[in-house]
Amino acid sequence: MRTSIRTQHFPESIIREMTRIALDVGAINLSQGYPDFAAPQVLKDAATQAILDDWNQYSVTWGLKPLRDAIADHYRRRYGMEVNPDTEVVVCCGATECMIAAMLGVVNPGDEVIFFEPYYESYIPNCFITQSTPRFVSLRPSADGRWEFDPDELRRAFNERTKVIIVNSPHNPTGKVFTREELQLIADLCIEHDVIAVTDEIYEFITYDGAQHIPIATLPGMAERTITISGMSKTFSVTGWRLGYAVAPEDLMIGVRKAHDFMSVCAATPLQIAGVTMMALGDDYYLRLRQDYAQRRALALEMLREVGFKPVVPQGAYYIMADFSAISDEDDITFGLRMARDIGVACVPGSPFFSRPELSRSIVRFAFCKKQETLEQARERLQKLKRS
Ligand code: GLN
C-alpha cells in the first residue's frame, strides 16, 4: 500500500459519507450537522465588504488582532475569564483544526488521551496523528433520560501516561451538558494527575431547559491547564466559513500556535473581518438562537417519537440520539442506509461514535439544525416507516 500507515488506520468519516449518500439519493439530510438556513445578514454584509475592501492576503497566523481582541473580550464578558489576546488566543480553520493543533501542540507519542464515548468522530484520527492512545469513558442514558458516566470508571481512566482529557460540552452526539459537579470531578482528577483539559465547546450557546454551559477553564486551578476551543460555525450558522478559536495559557498556546501555523497558516482573512462583527452581536442574538433551537428540538422529538423511535432528549447542541429497535431489528448501518434510500431521510448510524459496534447497534443520530419546513418534510417522509 502506498498510503501511510497512519492514514490507513483512519476511519472514513461516516458523517460526511451520509451527506454524500443523501445528495445522491435526494434524501432530506439530517445527518451532517450543518444548518440549511441563512446566516445573519449583517455577517454576510461584513464578509462581502471585507472582500470588496481587498482583504485578500494572509492574516497574522494567530488571527487578526481585532478578532483576537474581540475573542478575549467575549471570554471576559461572558465567563469572567482573563485572556491575553496577544499571547493566549489563536484563530484556526474551524474548531476541528483547533482540536488537532491543540493535540499536536501538547501530546507526545505514547501518551494517553481520555474522552467520553460516544464521541465526536475526529478525536480518533487525532489520536492516530499524534500517536497517542485513546481511553474511553462510557456515557449511558439513565432511567430519567440523562447521559451519565460512572465516576469510578473516570477515575480508573487516569494514570501516569494520561496527558489530555477531551471535554466536549455540550456534547456531540448525545447533547449532554456537563454539570458543575461533573466538571469539578474532572478538574480534581486533572489537577491530581497533572493532566491538560482540551475542550470542545462549539455548541456552548445552544442549550435547553435552563441547562448552563460552564467552561471547565473557569473552575479553580483549571485556567492554567486548559485549552478552551470554540468557534463561529454553530453559533452563527456558518459551518463552511471554517472559523474557530482556542484560548490557553501562553506556555500551552505556544505549541498550539506552531502546529496551526504549519498546518494552515491562517483562517480566511475576509471572514475573520466578519468574525469581528459576529463577536459584537448582543444578547438578543443569543436568546433568539436558543429559542429557535428549542422549537426545532421540540419538532424533531415529536417527529421521531410518533413513528416509534426512542430518543434521548438532548440538553444542548443540535443532535438527537435515538434507539430504533422498536421499528427495525436491522443494524444501525443497514437501517441508516435504508432510511436514506427508501424513506428519503438521512441520519448518521451510531457506529462512528463508538469504539465497539455492539454499543450502537440500534442507535442513529439525527441533526435538527434545519428550517421548520425541512423538519416538516422529514416528518412526512418518516410516516412511511410505520408501513415499511
Ligand atoms: N460537527 C458536524 C457533525 O457532527 C459536522 C461533522 C463532520 O463534517 N464530520 O455532524
Side-chain angles (χ1 to χ4, degrees), residues 20 42 58 62 91 93-94 156 177 182 229 243 258 300 345 350 366:
R20 289 191 290 271
V42 283
Y58 303 123
W62 312 322
V91 177
C93 300
R156 283 197 304 274
V177 178
E182 289 169 329
I229 295 175
L243 284 178
K258 280 186 195 164
V345 176
F366 290 89

Side-chain angles (χ1 to χ4, degrees), residues 13-16 19 31-34 96 120-122 172-173 202-203 234 239 318-319 348 353 365 367:
S13 164
I14 297 190
I15 300 180
R16 289 186 281 273
T19 285
S31 62
Q32 198 175 9
Y34 61 84
T96 302
Y120 179 51
E121 59 171 10
S122 78
N172 180 6
I202 192 73
Y203 302 97
K234 316 291 180 175
T239 61
Y318 50 47
Y319 307 102
V348 182
F353 307 110
R365 188 197 76 171

